[in-house]
Amino acid sequence: MEIKAVIWDWDGTLVDSFFQCFNTTKKVLSHFGIDISMEKYMENFAPNWYKMYENLGLKKEYWEMADNLWYKYFDHSCIRWREGALENLSFLKNLGIRQAVVTASTRLDIEKESIYLKPERFIDYFITWEDSSKKKPDPEPLIKALEKLKVEKKDVFYIGDTNSDIIMGKNAGVKT
């Protein structure tokens, strides 16, 4: 077995966006009269924001407005690499191992964070929210990353930090 590629999750795995996401979600939902605690956020967290909105009681008719408020409040400049991320990305890059990201973040989120983080130094492809009709834990986004990287499942590792990531990897038949 030869590892030719590593596919990463973004938020929580490579970058630390947790508190920014929590604080932004809290602000957004407050516009609709919904107050959430850290515990409630954690209990209802889902990489699919619409599933999370639904779990937290936000009616579907307000989701677009919530998305717009998200960009008003979310400060992309606060996002930082997680401890060890740069070292791991650099190590794999120096070995000639290709890298991709499969994320529930939008392309706009990645573009805004890339200004500060410069992930293109290491990452060959991003599969974002808009790139798949099906979302995590469905394997479609991960399969799209395999196609972009032109690698077989047996030659790849997928690394993520949530149950949805692990289920997606296993459903795609990738070492996870």
Side-chain angles (χ1 to χ4, degrees), residues 84-96 99 121-122:
L86 285 175
E87 293 84 356
N88 284 305
L89 290 165
S90 180
F91 177 76
L92 293 171
K93 183 76 168 181
N94 289 336
L95 290 176
Q99 299 178 82
R121 298 174 285 170
F122 313 105

Side-chain angles (χ1 to χ4, degrees), residues 34-86:
I34 300 170
D35 184 38
I36 61 166
S37 64
M38 178 68 74
E39 293 75 25
K40 191 170 184 178
Y41 179 82
M42 294 295 295
E43 288 170 9
N44 293 284
F45 179 81
N48 180 335
W49 287 106
Y50 297 131
K51 181 69 177 157
M52 192 163 161
Y53 287 161
E54 183 177 54
N55 291 346
L56 293 168
L58 184 64
K59 294 179 182 175
K60 190 173 184 175
E61 64 199 72
Y62 299 119
W63 291 358
E64 185 177 346
M65 189 184 310
D67 286 347
N68 292 332
L69 288 168
W70 178 269
Y71 283 105
K72 177 179 177 182
Y73 293 127
F74 194 86
D75 184 355
H76 293 87
S77 72
C78 291
I79 305 308
R80 299 287 181 258
W81 291 108
R82 290 192 49 106
E83 184 178 341
L86 285 175

